[in-house]
Amino acid sequence: MNKIRIEKIENLPARQVTFSKRRKGLFKKAGELSVLCDAEVAIIVFSSTDKLYEFSNSSTVDVIARFKLCTEDVEEGDQQSPNELQLVTDECMRLNMELAEKNHKLRHMEGQDLEELKIDELQRLENMIEGGLSRVLQTKDQRIMSQILALETKGAELTEANNLLRQRLGTLSNGDGNKASGVLSDPGISTDEEGMRSGSCTIATSCFSTGSSSSSMDDSSSEYTLSLKLGLLPR
């Protein structure tokens, strides 16, 4: 099978025919690519006679604008990436050194690796620990006092609530006692009974007085009658 040599076609008519065929085939393949793969495609071709040919499944201008935007971002990223990478590297190194220093101080505060410290460093460490301990104790005392005050307040509230409940229970008990007394001794019934008793006493007294008067009168009449019979009436 003879292969076509890829080189410039010197014959102008043949070159124009080949250009036309290959251009149509290229545009066809681009259209198939856009349909099959849902791609946004744009092709710009200038002929040897400076004639413009273009193909796009959407808009060539929009595709070119998008292409320029992407290439500008890539160029800016390429220009800034070394600097940004250096900044990130420096920041990581600084943080690692700071972390190592903090861990070293923490081990000293825990009483480890003290052999490498000098007297003045040990004195500073002691002062630091004493100051921290003092703040810890002060904070603990404040928390304890706050809890004590909260418990006292709660206890006072519970005591007040208990007293209110006792007062209510006492009120309810007194109310039940008064109701029972009212049932046992009704004022209307007492008044009627007193009246009946007073009346009975009055009647009894009257009867006794009447009986006594009648007895006295009977005695006087008998004495008078006896005196008449004996003729002893006074003159």
Side-chain angles (χ1 to χ4, degrees):
M1 183 177 179
N2 295 328
K3 293 183 179 180
I4 299 174
R5 296 176 60 183
I6 304 299
E7 61 182 8
K8 182 179 179 181
I9 301 174
E10 297 296 338
N11 189 354
L12 182 58
R15 186 168 61 201
Q16 290 178 350
V17 172
T18 303
F19 175 78
S20 178
K21 290 180 179 180
R22 295 295 181 99
R23 175 176 54 79
K24 290 179 181 179
L26 178 62
F27 289 173
K28 181 180 179 182
K29 293 295 182 181
E32 293 175 357
L33 178 64
S34 64
V35 174
L36 293 174
C37 301
D38 193 21
E40 192 172 4
V41 180
I43 299 176
I44 299 174
V45 179
F46 289 93
S47 66
S48 59
T49 59
D50 292 335
K51 188 174 182 180
L52 173 64
Y53 298 92
E54 62 176 308
F55 170 82
S56 177
N57 62 331
S58 58
S59 172
T60 305
V61 177
D62 294 340
V63 175
I64 292 173
R66 183 176 177 183
F67 170 77
K68 289 182 178 180
L69 181 62
C70 291
T71 53
E72 289 176 357
D73 292 340
V74 171
E75 290 177 357
E76 292 178 357
D78 293 338
Q79 292 176 359
Q80 296 179 359
S81 59
N83 296 330
E84 292 180 355
L85 182 60
Q86 185 63 35
L87 291 174
V88 172
T89 304
D90 295 341
E91 184 68 15
C92 290
M93 291 179 62
R94 185 185 67 80
L95 292 176
N96 288 331
M97 292 176 63
E98 185 176 354
L99 179 60
E101 184 180 358
K102 296 295 183 183
N103 289 330
H104 200 56
K105 289 183 178 180
L106 181 60
R107 287 195 300 271
H108 288 167
M109 295 183 69
E110 292 176 351
Q112 301 177 7
D113 301 335
L114 299 178
E115 294 80 5
E116 60 186 12
L117 298 179
K118 298 179 181 180
I119 297 178
D120 55 347
E121 293 176 346
L122 290 172
Q123 185 65 42
R124 285 197 299 269
L125 180 61
E126 182 182 0
N127 296 333
M128 184 187 304
I129 293 174
E130 288 179 353
L133 180 61
S134 176
R135 289 191 293 271
V136 169
L137 293 176
Q138 184 178 2
T139 304
K140 186 186 73 173
D141 293 339
Q142 291 177 357
R143 296 289 177 83
I144 292 174
M145 290 301 299
S146 298
Q147 292 181 0
I148 291 173
L149 291 175
L151 291 175
E152 289 179 352
T153 303
K154 189 67 176 179
E157 292 177 355
L158 292 175
T159 303
E160 185 178 358
N162 191 14
N163 293 331
L164 291 175
L165 288 175
R166 287 182 178 179
Q167 292 178 2
R168 290 181 181 179
L169 288 174
T171 304
L172 292 175
S173 300
N174 293 331
D176 294 338
N178 292 332
K179 289 181 180 179
S181 300
V183 172
L184 293 175
S185 58
D186 192 354
I189 295 174
S190 299
T191 304
D192 294 340
E193 289 180 353
E194 291 295 332
M196 293 175 65
R197 289 177 182 176
S198 299
S200 299
C201 292
T202 304
I203 293 171
T205 304
S206 298
C207 292
F208 179 77
S209 300
T210 306
S212 300
S213 300
S214 299
S215 298
S216 300
M217 291 176 66
D218 291 337
D219 293 339
S220 300
S221 176
S222 298
E223 291 178 355
Y224 184 73
T225 303
L226 183 59
S227 299
L228 288 176
K229 287 180 179 182
L230 296 176
L232 297 176
L233 289 171
R235 295 179 181 180

